[in-house]
Amino acid sequence: MRRLAARGAAGDAGEAAAPAADRTDCARGRGRSPWRLIDLCAIWDSGVVLPAADWKGPSSGVAGRRLNKAEVLSSVQKAQFQRLEAARLRGPGSRERGPVLRMAGQQPPPGVLAALLLCLLSLGGAIEIPMDPSIQNELSQPPTITKQSVKDHIVDPRDNILIECEAKGNPAPSFHWTRNSRFFNIAKDPRVSMRRRSGTLVIDFRSGGRPEEYEGEYQCFARNKFGTALSNRIRLQVSKSPLWPKENLDPVVVQEGAPLTLQCNPPPGLPSPVIFWMSSSMEPITQDKRVSQGHNGDLYFSSVMLPDMQTDYSCNARFHFTHTIQQKNAFTLKVLTNHPYNDSSLRNHPDMYSARGVAERTPSFMYPQGTASSQMVLRGMDLLLECIASGVPTPDIAWYKKGGDLPSDKAKFENFNKALRITNVSEEDSGEYFCLASNKMGSIRHTISVRVKAAPYWLDEPKNLILAPGEDGRLVCRASGNPKPTVQWMVNGEPLQSAPPNPNREVAGDTIIFRDTQISSRAVYQCNTSNEHGYLLANAFVSVLDVPPRMLSPRNQLIRVILYNRTRLDCPFFGSPIPTLRWFKNGQGSNLDGGNYHVYENGSLEIKMTRKEDQGIYTCVATNILGKAENQVHLEVKDPTRIYRMPEDQVAKRGTTVQLECRVKHDPSLKLTVSWLKDDEPLYVGNRMKKEDESLTIFGVAERDQGSYTCIASTELDQDLAKAYLTVLADQATPTNRLAALPKGRPDRPRDLELTDLAERSVRLTWIPGDDNNSPITDYVVQFEEDQFQPGVWHDHSKFPGSVNSAILHLSPYVNYQFRVIAVNEVGSSHPSLPSERYRTSGAPPESNPADVKGEGTRKNNMEITWTPMNATSAFGPNLRYIVKWRRRETREAWSNVTVWGSRHVVGQTPVYVPYEIRVQAENDFGKGPEPDTVIGYSGEDYPRAAPTDVKIRVLNSTAVSLQWNRVYSDTVQGQLREYRAYYWRESSLLKNLWVSQKRQQASFPGDRLRGVVSRLFPYSNYKLEMVVVNGRGDGPRSETKEFATPEGVPSAPRRFRVRQPNLEMIHLEWDHPEHPNGILTGYTLKYVAFNGTKVGKQIVENFSPNQTKFTMQRADPVSRYRFTLSARTQVGSGEAATEESPAPPNEAYTNNQADIATQGWFIGLMCAIALLVLILLIVCFIKRSRGGKYPVREKKDVPLGPEDPKEEDGSFDYSDEDNKPLQGSQTSLDGTIKQQESDDSLVDYGEGGEGQFNEDGSFIGQYTVKKDKEETEGNESSEATSPVNAIYSLA
């Protein structure tokens, strides 16, 4: 039986999961500023807004409102996209209703004043209004441009022209265009139309017209009643592919060994054409270090050789939009030589040039001219430097940078090292570069001065600003460039200077400050920043919302989760100002966070490991100054599904019946489904099979039933599975019944192995089977051994049915084989046969290459290439070795190679962490294997060179802070960025004379993140923190040490809470101060309640000063016990409570039983019945005493009656008014006679000398018989039934 590893809860998050690629900033969740901010960072596909800011503390009232006067609504944009992140972290479970949303909480530092306005963080990304219809219909939104054509829009003249412009807003915006800064009247041009519900222009030329007539600069305006948004200025140009001018070219005469330049001079096109050289017969020109094409399209010969005149040379231009190629008339060469053409002299002479009679020359530059030049490049573009030199022999080109090294991660060499390309140029790439051309005759160099300019690029792009009425905010438009760009503000497409004055708006250079915003402040602002190299245009609207909290998910959601799994509860909400969110369980207790609970920044409540006691109703409450809203989430914890009796492997004969068990234990409230797979495919249950709840039965087993069977037990929350294998044996008739009864055993070993039909890649193996020992042989296993790589080790080769004793074996080249055979029956396997003779196959080149090729650095300046070596059956020949090739991935340099006989090779002197292309090819003495695949490996990592900068710390609550930092440049990581790591330690407590541990702790933030949260801090403490970058090698340098202080929190439970009861009148309580005060203690709260069994008294609350640690109370009664709950307080609130109970009194068990029984209905009924019986008894006694009577008895006692008995003489006694009572078990008639009958106590009948024994008070009294004769007794016998009174006497 085999249990599979696939068992587990369906939908398990896997623990996040690993982290996901291609996440947006919103999906990662940005850190929030320390102020109360709103951000509608738009959100799911469903469009639900996920507000993300939250703060603990006052959430309503004038004081709380004034406190946040200077706050800006920005952090929701940064945190609400964490909904995507949170959805992956959700544990297994099912959500029965509603979407899943989250929010995050924080607490602003106290004392935030309006004077801090200029210190506010800039706002985050684009804003989306939630798509919930109820919110969409209420919230207004100024226009936002969502799609537009590129600034330089080049179109194909053969197609219609499309200029895109799309926008959104509420109400939906209208559109109009300008062309060359003048209003473009679309209605007057029949060729121009605008798409419906869009501003996209369509210019149709199907009815004629020239596209060139519409060239110009276009700009789109999207407008609704709340403002106007602008597109970029779109420059429309029509692609051009002019023809090559016709010209007659004379043959070019050149001396052999001289340099030559064939100029292309292609016609100007839009965009520029791609140039390449071919012959007039369309054969490509072979290029190498001597002959190559320059970046300008010209063809350069460093030195012309006689074979160059064997072809002609034609320049070709390919135009992108028209997909046409134009060819220039071909050049023909006439090479003058001093030596007759001789193949052998070129091919065999060690110096080709001297063999041709060509004089050797020192290098000289063909391009660029002179010894120095300059070049300007824009930031972010590619820098291409080119040096082409002539000389004999052909010079080699090398590149250098003065005062530093070439940027290894961005630089690559092209065109046989004649060109240096640096990608994504930045300011640090400026400087002087020089190329060195050298051959054996000498060297020269050319210096190129590189200046890096920059078109404007964003430092702080203005973002949409959403405020609540009366709040303050700002728009920031900060850009950089070279030269420094100028900033121009516009509002609704008009210059800000010409807009109506707004007293609530103030412009301060690149910032617009808004104070006390009102509904009328809504508008769309444009920021245009430009210099001589380009411009940037950004739209940002200001919207004012005043919305009370609203829950966005259905009410009373139900979440079910498997026991001990992780789950996550969400509470999506919306409101302005941003509401505060808190979680409570079962409507009571403090805000849930810490321990088994964790509240994320987006507000989601995570339960790390759900237990049965975690079931209940969780309430989330969102509050702002306009009101509050709440929602509930019901959590149910279910038992896991487990297969406790699994199917087992079985071997069955054909025609028999097989039963596979699968018994499952699951949560009874979940619907269980049991299904079966055969060979990992769904099992079809036919007529021969019967599927039951706990088993699968197969009747009349056939060969096709053989295989693996998997039982899958699943509910809607999880599943479990187990697998077993069924082997079906063919039935073989035994010759006699006597043989069938013989014991079975493993077969004897096969013998007399023989190799025949010897071929290059195959051989026939024949053997004689051994005795099957009364169990038919089902299989033969053929094994082989080779003596080169693993001598003495046997490997399985193939398997054959038990009915054969000869088989063709397919072999690998160059293996010295030796075979043996093992027989198998239902009992087991035989011993191996004796080995066959050896047979060596002929060799061949390898047909495969080694697997698992890797390239990893073990040091910062090397790369270790490893692979899995090939085994004997894949070597195919002697002297197996490996050709290892590698080269830098970014460059087109030649492959480096080495031959290795092992399984590793170390490449030394590599740059730090650069990608390499790696190939490993197998080779033996018969030849090489196939061309290997290319694998990407990396050289070794070095420690990071830079630390995160601009580290900002914002206190979230008393135990957590959020961090935000700037990304380090990729070239400083010097390896794979594993994580950002924060080292922090508790420097001191804000409480005097409290010792604290300064042990360093760390928090990791995997991946290229820019923010994170450090939690589990001690409240009311001073902390220090440093940030580092971590790669595979280790930590980089530490950042600047930051200090911060955590606010007060609630204290831990008082220590050593003791309850003593010296007597039944009083109780003494004692305790020690909390181990972690977490702030300044303001006192203690004691709550106690009396209880007696199921009765609970009224709770009493006592408050003590922070210095009091004792309390004595008087008991109200000596029977009840008391339950005490003690907690310490700070200004934040009460902390964790310690609970104790008073000792139980000695008679508590009795008291509890009395109290419990006296209130039971059955006990009251029993007492009433007893009272009724006692009343009847009294009535009977009264009757008996009033009538009297004598009862004759015969004495049988060993001791006679005493002389004091006055009735002794006649053997009778008088029953009248005396204290004597009837005998136990007797029955009295109305006339005073005794009834003779057998009692339930087995007393002997009274009469005829019968004897009777009775026990009146637990001791033996004696035997009595009736003295009167039988007739008299029978005559006086009464037919009265047994009286209940007698039954009562019998109990006395």
Side-chain angles (χ1 to χ4, degrees):
M1 186 284 300
R2 294 175 295 276
R3 176 181 290 277
L4 301 185
R7 164 179 174 180
D12 199 337
E15 299 294 327
D22 300 331
R23 297 179 185 166
T24 66
D25 283 345
C26 284
R28 287 191 296 264
R30 306 187 183 115
R32 301 184 303 278
S33 82
W35 328 106
R36 176 162 58 95
L37 308 173
I38 278 192
D39 183 358
L40 301 179
C41 179
I43 348 324
W44 310 358
D45 297 335
S46 62
V48 176
V49 168
L50 305 176
D54 183 18
W55 58 95
K56 299 176 176 63
S59 59
S60 63
V62 176
R65 181 61 174 170
R66 292 301 179 190
L67 178 64
N68 299 297
K69 176 76 173 180
E71 295 166 353
V72 181
L73 312 175
S74 68
S75 71
V76 178
Q77 286 176 320
K78 300 180 180 180
Q80 289 164 353
F81 268 34
Q82 290 187 359
R83 171 254 163 213
L84 300 175
E85 177 85 7
R88 282 186 286 272
L89 294 178
R90 176 171 306 285
S94 68
R95 179 172 300 279
E96 294 194 343
R97 294 173 296 174
V100 182
L101 303 119
R102 277 158 286 287
M103 57 171 243
Q106 78 169 35
Q107 179 175 355
V112 177
L113 302 176
L116 298 178
L117 173 63
L118 296 180
C119 298
L120 297 176
L121 296 177
S122 60
L123 305 180
I127 293 178
E128 296 284 348
I129 298 298
M131 300 304 295
D132 187 287
S134 63
I135 298 180
Q136 279 281 338
N137 296 334
E138 297 178 12
L139 301 185
S140 57
Q141 181 183 13
T144 300
I145 300 292
T146 59
K147 190 176 183 181
Q148 56 183 319
S149 296
V150 295
K151 294 179 180 179
D152 292 316
H153 189 30
I154 302 175
V155 296
D156 192 335
R158 299 170 298 177
D159 298 332
N160 293 334
I161 295 177
L162 197 71
I163 310 177
E164 292 184 312
C165 178
E166 296 182 6
K168 63 181 178 180
N170 186 17
S174 59
F175 299 86
H176 73 270
W177 287 82
T178 62
R179 179 184 175 195
N180 298 327
S181 301
R182 301 181 61 184
F183 176 72
F184 184 38
N185 194 339
I186 299 173
K188 289 186 177 181
D189 193 333
R191 296 192 185 96
V192 183
S193 62
M194 188 182 299
R195 286 183 175 175
R196 185 182 179 188
R197 297 180 182 177
S198 170
T200 299
L201 289 183
V202 180
I203 307 177
D204 192 345
F205 298 103
R206 288 179 295 183
S207 58
R210 298 180 63 251
E212 290 80 3
E213 297 176 356
Y214 292 89
E215 290 186 324
E217 189 177 75
Y218 292 79
Q219 191 167 26
C220 173
F221 293 73
R223 173 178 299 163
N224 67 11
K225 66 179 181 179
F226 301 115
T228 303
L230 277 62
S231 72
N232 290 323
R233 297 188 296 274
I234 302 170
R235 184 184 178 193
L236 178 66
Q237 296 176 284
V238 179
S239 174
K240 298 176 179 61
S241 54
L243 297 176
W244 220 305
K246 296 294 184 181
E247 55 183 339
N248 294 322
L249 300 176
D250 296 330
V252 179
V253 180
V254 61
Q255 182 70 37
E256 185 175 18
L260 175 65
T261 302
L262 298 181
Q263 295 183 344
C264 180
N265 296 325
L270 185 67
S272 300
V274 177
I275 305 301
F276 57 95
W277 287 81
M278 302 184 75
S279 67
S280 56
S281 59
M282 303 306 291
E283 293 291 333
I285 301 299
T286 302
Q287 299 187 30
D288 53 21
K289 184 169 67 171
R290 184 177 65 86
V291 181
S292 63
Q293 174 186 321
H295 182 63
N296 60 1
D298 295 345
L299 188 65
Y300 293 90
F301 294 79
S302 294
S303 58
V304 177
M305 301 303 295
L306 187 62
D308 294 335
M309 62 182 294
Q310 295 177 0
T311 184
D312 55 7
Y313 300 87
S314 176
C315 183
N316 296 263
R318 179 169 63 85
F319 294 90
H320 170 68
F321 277 91
T322 59
H323 302 289
T324 58
I325 297 177
Q326 297 190 27
Q327 189 176 45
K328 185 177 182 178
N329 290 345
F331 292 94
T332 58
L333 299 185
K334 182 177 179 181
V335 180
L336 305 179
T337 180
N338 298 325
H339 195 282
Y341 188 83
N342 189 329
D343 284 340
S344 62
S345 66
L346 290 174
R347 186 183 312 114
N348 300 323
H349 200 280
D351 192 336
M352 178 180 66
Y353 296 101
S354 61
R356 299 293 312 149
V358 176
E360 296 180 335
R361 294 184 292 106
T362 58
S364 64
F365 283 110
M366 304 175 68
Y367 180 88
Q369 301 290 332
T371 59
S373 60
S374 63
Q375 192 167 335
M376 190 272 289
V377 63
L378 291 180
R379 180 182 185 271
M381 306 297 288
D382 286 0
L383 170 65
L384 183 66
L385 305 178
E386 193 170 35
C387 282
I388 301 176
S390 64
V392 179
T394 302
D396 293 316
I397 304 295
W399 290 91
Y400 304 92
K401 182 180 181 181
K402 289 185 178 180
D405 297 329
L406 296 176
S408 59
D409 57 335
K410 300 192 296 182
K412 60 181 180 179
F413 302 102
E414 299 177 353
N415 197 17
F416 310 100
N417 272 25
K418 299 178 184 180
L420 169 65
R421 182 181 297 275
I422 300 177
T423 59
N424 192 22
V425 171
S426 57
E427 285 77 0
E428 57 262 28
D429 295 320
S430 60
E432 290 190 350
Y433 296 78
F434 66 89
C435 57
L436 184 69
S438 60
N439 62 10
K440 66 180 182 180
M441 301 300 296
S443 64
I444 59 171
R445 77 176 187 175
H446 182 94
T447 301
I448 305 174
S449 178
V450 174
R451 294 174 294 116
V452 178
K453 300 292 185 178
Y457 58 92
W458 291 119
L459 297 178
D460 283 307
E461 182 179 2
K463 302 296 188 298
N464 296 331
L465 182 62
I466 299 181
L467 302 173
E471 288 189 322
D472 302 347
R474 66 174 181 165
L475 291 178
V476 179
C477 177
R478 188 174 295 118
S480 183
N482 189 5
K484 184 178 180 180
T486 60
V487 175
Q488 179 191 12
W489 284 101
M490 296 181 288
V491 56
N492 295 328
E494 300 293 335
L496 195 61
Q497 295 81 358
S498 60
N502 186 345
N504 299 329
R505 180 181 64 211
E506 177 185 346
V507 180
D510 56 10
T511 302
I512 300 180
I513 302 172
F514 299 91
R515 294 186 175 91
D516 194 21
T517 55
Q518 302 302 321
I519 298 296
S520 59
S521 301
R522 289 181 289 195
V524 182
Y525 290 82
Q526 290 82 34
C527 174
N528 184 78
T529 174
S530 60
N531 63 11
E532 62 188 66
H533 301 297
Y535 75 93
L536 293 174
L537 177 66
N539 292 274
F541 66 68
V542 177
S543 184
V544 181
L545 298 178
D546 198 354
V547 183
R550 179 181 301 176
M551 292 298 171
L552 301 181
S553 62
R555 301 188 66 81
N556 299 320
Q557 299 178 74
L558 174 63
I559 296 178
R560 297 183 296 176
V561 66
I562 295 300
L563 185 67
Y564 302 128
N565 280 330
R566 185 175 63 172
T567 191
R568 194 161 180 167
L569 311 181
D570 306 293
C571 182
F573 66 95
F574 173 74
S576 174
I578 184 68
T580 302
L581 184 72
R582 299 178 185 274
W583 284 93
F584 303 93
K585 181 182 178 184
N586 295 330
Q588 55 185 331
S590 59
N591 190 26
L592 297 178
D593 195 6
N596 197 34
Y597 300 102
H598 178 67
V599 178
Y600 284 87
E601 285 190 33
N602 63 357
S604 295
L605 176 65
E606 181 188 60
I607 304 177
K608 300 175 184 177
M609 185 177 69
T610 54
R611 300 159 298 184
K612 285 293 185 180
E613 54 266 30
D614 293 323
Q615 288 190 137
I617 299 176
Y618 291 79
T619 304
C620 58
V621 180
T623 308
N624 69 8
I625 61 175
L626 301 177
K628 71 175 182 178
E630 66 179 43
N631 202 354
Q632 291 184 341
V633 179
H634 298 257
L635 178 65
E636 294 183 357
V637 181
K638 304 297 183 181
D639 292 327
T641 302
R642 292 293 179 262
I643 300 176
Y644 66 91
R645 180 166 296 180
M646 293 157 282
E648 298 181 350
D649 294 344
Q650 297 190 36
V651 178
K653 289 186 177 181
R654 186 174 61 185
T656 59
T657 299
V658 171
Q659 185 179 61
L660 300 172
E661 283 191 306
C662 183
R663 299 190 179 184
V664 183
K665 179 181 180 182
H666 72 289
D667 194 291
S669 64
L670 301 178
K671 181 181 179 181
L672 176 67
T673 301
V674 179
S675 58
W676 290 85
L677 303 178
K678 181 180 184 297
D679 298 328
D680 298 326
E681 296 292 336
L683 173 66
Y684 171 73
V685 180
N687 295 332
R688 295 185 303 103
M689 296 184 182
K690 182 180 180 182
K691 177 186 168 186
E692 298 176 315
D693 291 341
E694 296 183 341
S695 65
L696 174 69
T697 304
I698 306 175
F699 303 96
V701 172
E703 284 83 356
R704 64 178 179 272
D705 296 325
Q706 180 167 299
S708 64
Y709 288 80
T710 304
C711 172
I712 302 177
S714 60
T715 65
E716 56 266 42
L717 299 185
D718 67 339
Q719 71 173 21
D720 192 12
L721 50 87
K723 178 181 286 189
Y725 194 87
L726 174 63
T727 303
V728 179
L729 304 178
D731 54 345
Q732 297 183 4
T734 54
T736 64
N737 291 336
R738 181 182 62 83
L739 292 177
L742 293 176
K744 299 178 180 180
R746 295 190 299 174
D748 293 343
R749 71 174 71 189
R751 54 189 176 87
D752 297 342
L753 273 62
E754 183 180 5
L755 300 178
T756 57
D757 300 342
L758 305 177
E760 185 176 358
R761 294 289 184 93
S762 66
V763 68
R764 176 177 290 278
L765 175 65
T766 306
W767 63 90
I768 297 177
D771 192 344
D772 62 8
N773 291 325
N774 306 313
S775 179
I777 295 175
T778 59
D779 299 290
Y780 287 103
V781 178
V782 177
Q783 297 181 328
F784 75 93
E785 179 259 355
E786 53 82 25
D787 59 359
Q788 181 178 0
F789 288 89
Q790 292 180 302
V793 179
W794 290 89
H795 308 274
D796 288 345
H797 183 281
S798 50
K799 189 176 182 180
F800 300 98
S803 57
V804 303
N805 67 330
S806 180
I808 297 293
L809 306 181
H810 297 282
L811 310 178
S812 298
Y814 202 73
V815 178
N816 192 19
Y817 283 100
Q818 184 175 233
F819 301 98
R820 70 183 186 184
V821 181
I822 298 174
V824 180
N825 64 9
E826 66 176 355
V827 179
S829 302
S830 70
H831 293 292
S833 67
L834 296 178
S836 68
E837 58 183 338
R838 288 195 177 272
Y839 174 62
R840 179 182 290 278
T841 54
S842 58
E847 295 181 357
S848 61
N849 290 308
D852 298 329
V853 179
K854 298 177 183 178
E856 298 175 344
T858 58
R859 295 185 177 182
K860 67 178 182 180
N861 59 352
N862 77 355
M863 178 180 64
E864 184 180 64
I865 304 174
T866 60
W867 58 90
T868 301
M870 301 167 66
N871 57 28
T873 57
S874 55
F876 285 15
N879 198 19
L880 177 66
R881 53 199 179 272
Y882 304 98
I883 302 174
V884 183
K885 298 181 180 179
W886 68 93
R887 71 176 181 186
R888 290 272 299 274
R889 185 181 184 183
E890 296 89 350
T891 65
R892 302 184 64 179
E893 61 187 15
W895 290 89
S896 301
N897 65 84
V898 67
T899 301
V900 178
W901 277 262
S903 60
R904 63 186 291 270
H905 175 69
V906 178
V907 179
Q909 302 304 316
T910 62
V912 174
Y913 198 69
V914 295
Y916 279 83
E917 296 178 337
I918 302 171
R919 296 177 180 176
V920 180
Q921 185 179 27
E923 182 184 30
N924 60 24
D925 288 351
F926 291 93
K928 296 180 180 179
E931 281 298 319
D933 295 332
T934 301
V935 176
I936 303 300
Y938 285 85
S939 57
E941 300 178 77
D942 199 357
Y943 294 106
R945 291 188 286 109
T949 58
D950 197 18
V951 179
K952 299 177 181 178
I953 301 176
R954 180 164 46 86
V955 177
L956 298 179
N957 53 44
S958 60
T959 61
V961 297
S962 69
L963 305 179
Q964 185 175 347
W965 59 87
N966 288 343
R967 178 183 289 108
V968 297
Y969 290 105
S970 58
D971 58 337
T972 65
V973 177
Q974 300 197 115
Q976 182 181 3
L977 177 61
R978 299 291 179 88
E979 62 183 32
Y980 288 92
R981 183 179 296 167
Y983 289 100
Y984 59 96
W985 62 96
R986 191 181 182 191
E987 185 71 13
S988 64
S989 173
L990 292 175
L991 294 173
K992 295 182 179 180
N993 302 323
L994 180 63
W995 180 88
V996 298
S997 172
Q998 295 184 344
K999 179 181 178 182
R1000 288 183 175 243
Q1001 297 176 287
Q1002 66 183 45
S1004 298
F1005 309 104
D1008 191 12
R1009 300 172 58 181
L1010 298 180
R1011 51 191 50 83
V1013 174
V1014 177
S1015 58
R1016 299 190 179 185
L1017 303 175
F1018 284 96
Y1020 212 56
S1021 300
N1022 292 313
Y1023 275 88
K1024 290 186 177 181
L1025 180 142
E1026 298 172 341
M1027 294 286 297
V1028 298
V1029 180
V1030 182
N1031 62 13
R1033 186 74 184 274
D1035 294 0
R1038 305 289 174 95
S1039 70
E1040 177 186 358
T1041 302
K1042 295 288 184 177
E1043 298 183 1
F1044 64 93
T1046 53
E1048 281 191 272
V1050 296
S1052 60
R1055 293 179 297 170
R1056 292 188 285 276
F1057 184 31
R1058 304 174 297 281
V1059 178
R1060 294 186 299 106
Q1061 183 174 294
N1063 51 55
L1064 297 180
E1065 285 76 27
M1066 61 180 58
I1067 297 177
H1068 291 309
L1069 308 179
E1070 295 182 7
W1071 62 89
D1072 293 342
H1073 294 299
E1075 181 180 3
H1076 301 292
N1078 296 337
I1080 300 174
L1081 291 181
T1082 59
Y1084 294 92
T1085 299
L1086 175 67
K1087 300 178 182 180
Y1088 59 93
V1089 62
F1091 65 94
N1092 188 352
T1094 57
K1095 293 182 179 180
V1096 179
K1098 183 180 179 180
Q1099 180 175 276
I1100 301 174
V1101 179
E1102 299 279 356
N1103 290 314
F1104 307 123
S1105 67
N1107 296 325
Q1108 184 172 345
T1109 58
K1110 295 181 181 181
F1111 177 68
T1112 300
M1113 63 162 285
Q1114 297 292 329
R1115 296 176 60 101
D1117 62 83
V1119 176
S1120 299
R1121 295 179 62 189
Y1122 289 84
R1123 184 177 294 113
F1124 299 94
T1125 302
L1126 179 68
S1127 60
R1129 302 189 311 272
T1130 62
Q1131 292 181 357
V1132 178
S1134 296
E1136 183 181 354
T1139 301
E1140 291 289 341
E1141 292 183 357
S1142 62
N1147 59 343
E1148 181 185 25
Y1150 174 77
T1151 303
N1152 288 342
N1153 291 337
Q1154 291 293 99
D1156 292 341
I1157 294 176
T1159 59
Q1160 302 298 319
W1162 64 267
F1163 180 79
I1164 296 174
L1166 178 61
M1167 292 296 101
C1168 291
I1170 294 175
L1172 179 61
L1173 291 177
V1174 170
L1175 180 60
I1176 296 174
L1177 174 62
L1178 293 176
I1179 295 173
V1180 174
C1181 290
F1182 176 76
I1183 296 173
K1184 293 294 184 178
R1185 293 175 64 87
S1186 63
R1187 298 189 61 173
K1190 294 184 179 181
Y1191 294 86
V1193 295
R1194 182 179 58 192
E1195 169 133 358
K1196 287 293 185 180
K1197 293 176 62 174
D1198 295 335
V1199 180
L1201 295 175
E1204 66 278 8
D1205 190 344
K1207 309 302 178 183
E1208 179 184 340
E1209 294 179 358
D1210 59 358
S1212 64
F1213 65 89
D1214 182 41
Y1215 180 77
S1216 57
D1217 294 332
E1218 299 177 8
D1219 294 334
N1220 297 312
K1221 297 181 179 180
L1223 299 176
Q1224 182 179 354
S1226 66
Q1227 187 171 4
T1228 307
S1229 64
L1230 294 178
D1231 59 355
T1233 60
I1234 298 176
K1235 178 181 177 182
Q1236 296 178 354
Q1237 65 177 33
E1238 185 177 358
S1239 72
D1240 292 337
D1241 296 297
S1242 301
L1243 296 179
V1244 181
D1245 293 338
Y1246 290 68
E1248 291 297 331
E1251 296 178 352
Q1253 293 180 349
F1254 60 92
N1255 190 339
E1256 189 168 297
D1257 57 356
S1259 61
F1260 180 79
I1261 300 300
Q1263 297 176 347
Y1264 299 84
T1265 59
V1266 181
K1267 197 171 181 180
K1268 297 184 179 180
D1269 56 19
K1270 182 177 180 181
E1271 290 80 3
E1272 181 182 352
T1273 304
E1274 289 179 355
N1276 296 329
E1277 187 177 14
S1278 170
S1279 61
E1280 182 185 9
T1282 304
S1283 170
V1285 178
N1286 294 329
I1288 296 299
Y1289 287 152
S1290 66
L1291 296 174

